[in-house]
Amino acid sequence: GNYRIGGILGFGKLILTNAYITDSIINGNTFSAEAGGVIGNGLKSSKIVDANVTGSTITSNYRAAGIAGFAPFDISECDVTDTVITVNQEYNGEAAGIVSAAAEATSKIEKCNVLRTIITNNSNGYTGGIAAFANNTISECNVTSSKIISTGTSANGLGGIVGHGSNFTNTLTYIYKCIVSGCTLTGNNGVGGIAGAGVANIEESNVIGEVTEKVTLTSIDIEQEEISQSEEENIELEQQNSEPEEEIQTVQEPVETI
């Protein structure tokens, strides 16, 4: 598809309960394409409950996610399993396990799971296990045994749950009782086990496993490290030289006279 592409609906109002999307290929070709396993772009009056996306491939040049590309509405009890989600353009695309952009402060994402899924963002935008960008409430969501990858050199915001949130008064991002377990997170800037950046409210959430952040050392960093090592060696040598020598006491035995 060229613009808004979904496994069930491209664009509009969707009230959905108990759906299965399996072994599907969903591809957004244009620069501004929004692709979701269920819906590309939904109206605020939409609602998705118990949607399951399994073994699918979702690709876009702008937004790609397991359930919805753009979602200003409630999403609950949805699972994305064994799926590959990829954003390919080089500017500011968003890739996520459930929703690329959850841009409505009154909406909720709750009790959703992402399992054994690979999320790759080759742009400089946000990347998240549940949401790439969110300014709403996300609760009781789990991301397990998945890979979340950002290759953009100036990307700032990759998180196990949310890539980038909002800390403005009326649109605070709130993460509650979420778990990231057995995942690998790889990015250049703003990488976090729960949230990458811009999330001030995180409660009762846990990260179990390994978080990897790529860091490029500059020549200054390396030089400082070498200086520090040299200083440590000099201090150690000084300590050795300053240690007092052990006094040797000679005891002269009395000579017996005859």
Side-chain angles (χ1 to χ4, degrees):
N2 291 325
Y3 189 32
R4 294 161 175 166
I5 311 98
I8 291 178
L9 181 66
F11 171 74
K13 177 180 178 179
L14 178 64
I15 305 295
L16 179 68
T17 301
N18 191 20
Y20 292 86
I21 297 92
T22 305
D23 300 330
S24 298
I25 297 174
I26 299 165
N27 188 16
N29 299 318
T30 62
F31 176 80
S32 57
E34 296 172 313
V38 175
I39 187 170
N41 184 313
L43 298 177
K44 187 176 178 180
S45 54
S46 300
K47 186 175 183 179
I48 298 176
V49 180
D50 191 22
N52 302 275
V53 177
T54 304
S56 296
T57 300
I58 303 165
T59 306
S60 176
N61 287 325
Y62 180 38
R63 288 176 173 152
I67 299 298
F70 181 81
F73 52 83
D74 291 349
I75 296 176
S76 61
E77 300 178 47
C78 292
D79 293 344
V80 175
T81 306
D82 296 325
T83 291
V84 177
I85 299 164
T86 308
V87 166
N88 283 322
Q89 63 113 329
E90 61 180 313
Y91 297 104
N92 293 315
E94 297 167 341
I98 299 295
V99 180
S100 291
E104 173 54 51
T106 61
S107 68
K108 296 179 181 179
I109 302 172
E110 57 186 0
K111 297 180 180 178
C112 292
N113 300 290
V114 176
L115 175 63
R116 295 189 304 272
T117 289
I118 300 172
I119 302 163
T120 304
N121 191 343
N122 294 313
S123 80
N124 288 315
Y126 307 138
T127 312
I130 297 296
F133 172 81
N135 63 358
N136 62 350
T137 298
I138 299 176
S139 62
E140 299 181 76
C141 292
N142 302 312
V143 181
T144 307
S145 301
S146 296
K147 293 182 179 181
I148 305 169
I149 303 162
S150 173
T151 64
T153 55
S154 61
N156 183 24
L158 179 147
I161 299 297
V162 175
H164 202 292
S166 170
N167 51 20
F168 292 102
T169 302
N170 296 323
T171 58
L172 289 173
T173 306
Y174 182 44
I175 299 174
Y176 178 65
K177 284 190 175 181
C178 292
I179 298 173
V180 177
S181 177
C183 295
T184 300
L185 281 63
T186 306
N188 286 297
N189 304 291
V191 178
I194 296 294
V199 177
N201 299 289
I202 301 173
E203 294 187 16
E204 297 184 42
S205 297
N206 297 292
V207 178
I208 304 168
E210 178 182 355
V211 179
T212 302
E213 181 174 359
K214 287 199 305 183
V215 178
T216 302
L217 290 176
T218 65
S219 58
I220 295 174
D221 294 327
I222 296 170
E223 184 179 353
Q224 287 176 343
E225 184 178 352
E226 290 175 349
I227 291 172
S228 299
Q229 289 177 350
S230 178
E231 288 176 350
E232 289 177 1
E233 291 172 357
N234 290 335
I235 292 170
E236 185 178 348
L237 184 59
E238 288 175 2
Q239 287 175 343
Q240 290 175 355
N241 292 335
S242 63
E243 289 179 359
E245 294 183 0
E246 185 179 350
E247 294 183 2
I248 301 175
Q249 294 183 353
T250 303
V251 178
Q252 193 173 23
E253 296 182 358
V255 178
E256 186 179 349
T257 57
I258 301 176

